[in-house]
Amino acid sequence: MPVANFNRKILDLKRWVVMPSLAPNTTAAGVCIISSRLEQQRQLYMVSASLHYLYYPFEDGFVQIPSGGFAGTFGVGTCGTSSAVGPSGTATAGTTTQISTNLTLARSLAGYEIEITAGPNAGLRRKIARNTVGANGVITVTQPFPVAITSASAYRLLTPRWYVVNAGTLASGSFRVYDFALNTWTTLAHTGLPATLASDARMIATPSVGDNGVPIAFATGKATGGSANTLVNSAKAWAVNQWANFQVRITAGAGSGQIRTIASNTGTALTVSANWTINPDATSQYAIEGNDDFLYLMGNAAVALFRYQISTNTWTTLAPVAARGAAPGPALSGHWVYNVSRDDWTDENNIINGRRIYSFRGGGTAVLDYYDIAANTWVSAVPYAPGVETFTTGSKYVYADGFLYMTKEATGRWFRYSFADHAMIGWGHNVYPGGAAVLGDTSFDVVEPESGVRFIHMILNTSQIHMRCMVV
């Protein structure tokens, strides 16, 4: 009879392998990698205020991109995050398989998706087969739309954007975004941030799309009704305000294509922050997702937490119900936890997935805190075992599938923290020596789309050496 084989963990030991590709520049203070989880999972390698590369993991190669020309002083505190939503607009014409955009597209977007947000085909997403390059780019999709695209069809591209804030004295040009589809950098508002960013910091997104374009939805269903600013599902029994600051997207039926931030909820009704253009009704299908409109910034040796709203280009200093227990220090972490598989995290009536941004404080401590997005509060000094390993300059972090992988590179030791189990274990050892420890996280993960095999990558401290290890 069949016998379970439990040897895999013993046979497939953690082996850090040197990649053929060297990083194009040596890592130093502030140098960081900002990873996109979308199609092809490209990574932005920030080397300085003017020198940046994209890494193509399935080709194992780096290519230089246009200079961001950042204001400020590149170094400790420079950080960023990626967004799952690219440029948007209104079609100028179309058919059932083509969309004439009002964008100047710079490169092939094959494999990414386009979503129709209003007008004919609203709420539908299609994979891009090919597109023209240049002004008024024409996109061809792999699967026809039910009806022809018209000049009333609004759209958004689900293509990467990288948001980066530079360190030093903040000024116009300190906060910029690189748009993959357009191959352009754009200056964004910095008003509302501290005057200077001089200590380690982290920026965190809460996207609605994850690895290789797979949607991140915490609940789906069909409404039983709605009003100018609500969506009702009388069959639900949600905990009050558990969905605050998530987003709800109407995927089919009345109001299809509309996306709104959830301001509050009762057991059966979502109240949105801006009125619907078309009210949902009993035909409306919906998905509750991570909020594509919000980015969070923490660190800078302060307890302050800032939130950026992409749609309004504004920063807000949040006022949590409970402040963070203490300011984070060098090598803090910051990760949105959204895909823990255990049933207590996925319970739709008391959701935990998507609600928390976890952060090790760094600074030579072992302390872990989390920010509750829905409740707007910090929970400080989260108990976990053993709770002894400390993290500081030179540490690196990667979030993947409900776990946080982290290293104290000076020792070569890696660890894995389980959010569901509140436990940290040893996770192998990298015997390849790095250089002097520096601040700036140069680790990331890549998932092979067909097999689902995941690799943790890193570029060593004060080095160009690029390594990876399979997650088994």
Side-chain angles (χ1 to χ4, degrees):
M1 69 181 198
V3 176
N5 187 335
F6 297 104
N7 290 333
R8 180 176 174 185
K9 291 283 187 181
I10 299 173
L11 297 175
D12 294 339
L13 296 177
K14 312 295 185 301
R15 291 180 177 88
W16 285 94
V17 177
V18 177
M19 298 290 287
S21 66
L22 288 174
N25 292 77
T26 299
T27 55
V31 173
C32 56
I33 289 179
I34 306 166
S35 185
S36 166
R37 310 196 74 90
L38 296 179
E39 171 74 16
Q40 299 295 315
Q41 301 166 69
R42 295 176 176 93
Q43 284 76 35
L44 174 63
Y45 186 43
M46 290 290 299
V47 177
S48 72
S50 58
L51 182 59
H52 335 292
Y53 298 85
L54 284 183
Y55 175 65
Y56 286 68
F58 301 131
E59 305 298 334
D60 189 32
F62 292 83
V63 63
Q64 189 174 346
I65 63 171
S67 170
F70 284 83
T73 305
F74 187 88
V76 175
T78 300
C79 62
T81 191
S82 68
S83 165
V85 179
S88 59
T90 301
T92 58
T95 66
T96 57
T97 58
Q98 288 192 325
I99 302 156
S100 298
T101 75
N102 53 352
L103 300 173
T104 301
L105 300 177
R107 51 163 51 96
S108 170
L109 303 177
Y112 291 98
E113 289 188 313
I114 185 168
E115 180 178 15
I116 308 303
T117 56
N121 301 302
L124 298 181
R125 291 180 177 179
R126 291 292 186 267
K127 186 161 290 215
I128 297 171
R130 61 184 180 275
N131 59 274
T132 63
V133 172
N136 302 314
V138 177
I139 291 173
T140 301
V141 295
T142 59
Q143 177 188 358
F145 289 103
V147 298
I149 295 290
T150 74
S151 58
S153 299
Y155 63 86
R156 63 176 188 168
L157 300 183
L158 299 180
T159 53
R161 279 178 168 170
W162 286 270
Y163 291 80
V164 182
V165 62
N166 198 23
T169 301
L170 299 189
S172 177
S174 290
F175 181 41
R176 308 203 74 198
V177 59
Y178 176 69
D179 192 303
F180 179 80
L182 307 181
N183 192 34
T184 57
W185 286 95
T186 302
T187 293
L188 303 172
H190 69 282
T191 302
L193 289 175
T196 60
L197 195 62
S199 299
D200 207 7
R202 292 290 184 272
M203 190 179 294
I204 303 104
T206 59
S208 66
V209 181
D211 291 343
N212 294 302
V214 176
I216 302 172
F218 304 105
T220 59
K222 189 173 183 180
T224 56
S227 68
N229 67 342
T230 65
L231 181 148
V232 176
N233 187 336
S234 59
K236 296 301 178 181
W238 297 318
V240 173
N241 291 338
Q242 70 171 52
W243 297 121
N245 296 315
F246 287 72
Q247 75 181 26
V248 58
R249 181 166 58 93
I250 309 300
T251 58
S256 184
Q258 296 178 104
I259 302 168
R260 296 291 187 272
T261 292
I262 300 170
S264 62
N265 71 271
T266 65
T268 58
L270 308 174
T271 297
V272 295
S273 58
N275 283 0
W276 303 107
T277 303
I278 299 172
N279 294 353
D281 63 20
T283 69
S284 303
Q285 298 177 40
Y286 65 87
I288 300 175
E289 307 169 322
N291 198 321
D292 291 316
D293 203 26
F294 290 159
L295 308 176
Y296 297 84
L297 180 68
M298 63 175 64
N300 204 30
V303 298
L305 179 65
F306 303 91
R307 188 175 72 192
Y308 177 71
Q309 188 166 1
I310 295 172
S311 61
T312 61
N313 189 26
T314 55
W315 285 98
T316 300
T317 303
L318 296 178
V321 175
R324 191 168 190 173
L332 78 154
S333 70
H335 296 86
W336 180 54
V337 178
Y338 60 89
N339 59 348
V340 175
S341 58
R342 212 167 67 179
D343 58 358
D344 53 336
W345 282 67
T346 60
D347 179 7
E348 186 181 333
N349 292 329
N350 193 18
I351 198 73
I352 300 178
N353 271 333
R355 280 191 63 155
R356 298 174 180 176
I357 297 173
Y358 279 83
S359 176
F360 280 91
R361 286 188 199 170
T365 75
V367 181
L368 175 64
D369 310 315
Y370 71 78
Y371 173 70
D372 187 320
I373 294 171
N376 184 31
T377 193
W378 280 96
V379 175
S380 297
V382 177
Y384 70 95
V388 176
E389 298 286 352
T390 60
F391 298 90
T392 189
T393 302
S395 300
K396 303 180 189 299
Y397 304 91
V398 175
Y399 173 77
D401 283 341
F403 298 97
L404 188 65
Y405 298 84
M406 59 195 86
T407 181
K408 299 193 286 191
E409 193 190 314
T411 68
R413 295 163 61 221
W414 277 79
F415 313 90
R416 186 180 72 186
Y417 179 79
S418 168
F419 292 99
D421 297 325
H422 309 289
M424 182 183 291
I425 64 171
W427 193 77
H429 193 116
N430 177 22
V431 299
Y432 201 102
V438 290
L439 284 171
D441 197 339
T442 53
S443 60
F444 59 96
D445 69 311
V446 175
V447 180
E448 203 285 320
E450 293 182 0
S451 67
V453 174
R454 187 182 302 272
F455 290 88
I456 304 292
H457 289 242
M458 68 171 171
I459 299 173
L460 298 180
N461 282 323
T462 321
S463 175
Q464 292 176 263
I465 300 297
H466 175 196
M467 307 189 74
R468 77 176 187 183
C469 180
M470 184 188 295
V471 177
V472 294

